[in-house]
Amino acid sequence: MNRRKLLAFGAAVAAAAPLAACGSDDDGAESGPVELTISVWNMDSTPEFKALFDAFQKANTDITIKPVDILADDYPTKVTTMLAGGDSTDVITMKNVIDYARYAGRGQLKDVTSLAKSENGAKLNGLDAFKQEGDKYYALPYRQDFWVLYYNKKLFDAAGKPYPTNLTWDQYADLAKALTGGAGQNKVYGTYHHTWRSVVQAISAAQTGGNLLGPDYKFFGDQYKNALGIQEAGATLDYGTAKTQKTGYASMFETKKTAMLPMGTWYIAKIMAEKKKGSTDADWAIAPLPQAAGASGVTTFGSPTAFAVNKNAKHAAAAQKFVEFAAGPEGAKAIAAIGVVPALLTDEIRTSYFGLEGMPTDDTSKKAFAPDKIVLEMPVSDKTSKIDTILNEEHGLIMTKEKSVDAGIAEIEKRVKNEAS
């Protein structure tokens, strides 16, 4: 499967597109000032929302945005309750596709299919994740994160190793071991694997074509053996310690305790902000996520974030105008300016992104930013939640070696069959 080619939006067309062209069944534009309500999480620590809201209000002076700020941990539960109770918040931010599928399936979101299938909308990365039964769409992605390999250049220089480019997983393991040195508080790890199951499971699914919804999970085998081999060599902080100490991946990287870090592109905005504040002097860059030997192209995984119009929106026309704006070129420019990866990645926006202060500009970093294929982190179905729980529990047991890789995989297959079928 080839990566969807990303072509430039026609900015003038998108900006001027009438709402009627968006497929809205609403009564069209309202007269007079509008106060548009939008659900968000942790507004103060999620700068993309302010960037989008400021840009939209500047372009639409008759519309004022009022955020409905919800704690991130409470967001799914709160939004579920709001929608079930007929709340009229105009725009609902879709934090993940699992919750989105539930809301769309319950008929709680407005149909934006014609927007998604327009010349502009069809170019959005991550759009496929929002396709529902009947070839319908009820949200448009405005950002699309995916995983890359971060590395600390100074630690590579100190070890006399060339910067990573197109590593296989075996080469990555060898490099991690070679970059590991020191002891005790002064130990520097070759890499850091965060405790999330996706560090092993989503990578192996994306790069082998395996299905995280089962029933066969033998495709996990090679990636677990690679991760455990690195851990047993002491080239990464072991899972148990990281879990117990609640180790942060950012602190490991920014304090130069690790030379490499597989992580999502959302981390770019944070590390640039930390460097700007002077809280870290990490000299960093990114490379494509390592691949299996013999693989063609770069395959990684990721998840989109989207906006949807509430079926009970008080200002549906203005809400749809915002959704279109956020996913369009002006919205993409607004969040790219703060280091967030937009769903719309035109050549112009990509160039602008790599022109940000503190952003690496080498060819390998640019290549990492243009993977050939981005696979959805977790497929969406009515069994996703149950299977996610099983995968998380068994991942911990495998990584702490309470179960062998083969025994852990066999248990996953057994539990998915018995508990989620």
Side-chain angles (χ1 to χ4, degrees):
M1 177 178 175
N2 295 321
R3 177 176 66 90
R4 181 191 294 117
K5 294 182 178 180
L6 300 173
L7 304 175
F9 262 129
V13 174
L19 292 179
C22 301
S24 171
D25 57 3
D26 195 62
D27 55 356
E30 300 173 74
S31 59
V34 170
E35 183 179 76
L36 189 68
T37 51
I38 302 179
S39 69
V40 299
W41 58 88
N42 294 3
M43 180 78 183
D44 288 343
S45 59
T46 314
E48 70 201 57
F49 293 132
K50 184 177 187 306
L52 281 171
F53 297 170
D54 288 349
F56 180 74
Q57 289 174 127
K58 184 177 181 181
N60 299 272
T61 55
D62 58 337
I63 301 176
T64 301
I65 292 176
K66 180 182 180 182
V68 179
D69 197 4
I70 301 168
L71 288 174
D73 289 346
D74 298 338
Y75 190 81
T77 302
K78 179 69 174 177
V79 170
T80 298
T81 302
M82 288 165 55
L83 292 176
D87 183 275
S88 62
T89 298
D90 298 305
V91 177
I92 307 296
T93 309
M94 298 291 110
K95 195 174 182 183
N96 61 63
V97 294
I98 298 172
D99 291 333
Y100 158 76
R102 187 164 57 245
Y103 305 146
R106 292 172 180 169
Q108 295 171 324
L109 307 175
K110 284 183 68 69
D111 184 343
V112 293
T113 302
S114 59
L115 246 184
K117 292 186 176 181
S118 69
E119 181 180 356
N120 295 339
K123 297 168 186 171
L124 295 171
N125 272 332
L127 180 66
D128 290 348
F130 298 93
K131 186 177 180 179
Q132 292 289 293
E133 186 176 352
D135 203 18
K136 298 288 188 181
Y137 295 82
Y138 299 90
L140 285 186
Y142 68 92
R143 68 176 292 175
Q144 165 73 64
D145 288 296
F146 53 87
W147 280 53
V148 297
L149 180 65
Y150 294 80
Y151 63 94
N152 266 308
K153 295 166 71 174
K154 290 179 181 176
L155 295 179
F156 273 76
D157 292 342
K161 296 293 182 183
Y163 301 148
T165 51
N166 298 302
L167 297 175
T168 65
W169 285 107
D170 288 341
Q171 291 170 335
Y172 166 78
D174 290 342
L175 189 56
K177 295 170 188 174
L179 287 162
T180 299
Q185 294 299 315
N186 295 320
K187 181 166 185 176
V188 173
Y189 296 94
T191 192
Y192 175 70
H193 291 165
H194 201 45
T195 56
W196 299 330
R197 67 169 183 77
S198 288
V199 173
V200 177
Q201 296 178 355
I203 288 173
S204 57
Q207 296 185 350
T208 67
N211 187 349
L212 287 169
L213 298 180
D216 184 347
Y217 290 91
K218 294 179 181 60
F219 62 88
F220 281 163
D222 287 345
Q223 202 65 34
Y224 267 118
K225 290 171 184 173
N226 181 280
L228 288 169
I230 293 171
Q231 179 173 281
E232 289 165 7
T236 183
L237 185 65
D238 72 274
Y239 176 92
T241 301
K243 193 78 172 176
T244 302
Q245 297 181 348
K246 298 183 179 179
T247 303
Y249 64 83
S251 64
M252 287 290 290
F253 192 74
E254 290 164 24
T255 59
K256 299 189 281 294
K257 295 293 291 181
T258 181
M260 296 186 288
L261 173 70
M263 189 49 60
T265 49
W266 61 79
Y267 183 43
I268 291 175
K270 181 182 185 307
I271 192 170
M272 287 201 302
E274 295 301 325
K275 286 204 72 171
K276 193 172 183 179
K277 289 191 295 185
S279 55
T280 180
D281 63 350
D283 187 7
W284 64 282
I286 56 175
L289 202 63
Q291 305 290 306
S296 60
V298 174
T299 299
T300 184
F301 71 95
S303 295
T305 311
F307 288 115
V309 179
N310 185 354
K311 194 67 176 287
N312 294 319
K314 187 175 180 181
H315 305 292
Q320 190 154 308
K321 190 172 188 178
F322 173 80
V323 171
E324 182 183 21
F325 178 92
E330 296 307 315
K333 288 177 185 175
I335 63 172
I338 59 170
V340 174
V341 182
L344 177 65
L345 266 180
T346 65
D347 290 341
E348 178 188 2
I349 292 170
R350 201 187 305 272
T351 299
S352 173
Y353 194 91
F354 277 89
L356 294 174
E357 181 182 355
M359 187 70 190
T361 58
D362 60 281
D363 290 342
T364 300
S365 292
K366 293 177 180 176
K367 181 179 179 182
F369 213 69
D372 296 288
K373 184 178 180 182
I374 303 172
V375 178
L376 186 63
E377 183 170 3
M378 184 68 184
V380 178
S381 86
D382 58 353
K383 302 177 179 64
T384 295
S385 181
K386 289 182 179 178
I387 293 175
D388 181 64
T389 299
I390 294 169
L391 294 177
N392 269 309
E393 291 173 353
E394 297 301 326
H395 174 68
L397 296 174
I398 294 172
M399 292 306 296
T400 53
K401 302 192 73 172
E402 291 185 48
K403 288 182 181 175
S404 69
V405 173
D406 290 342
I409 290 173
E411 186 67 14
I412 291 171
E413 293 175 342
K414 178 182 175 182
R415 289 187 61 188
V416 168
K417 179 181 179 181
N418 294 335
E419 299 173 28
S421 60

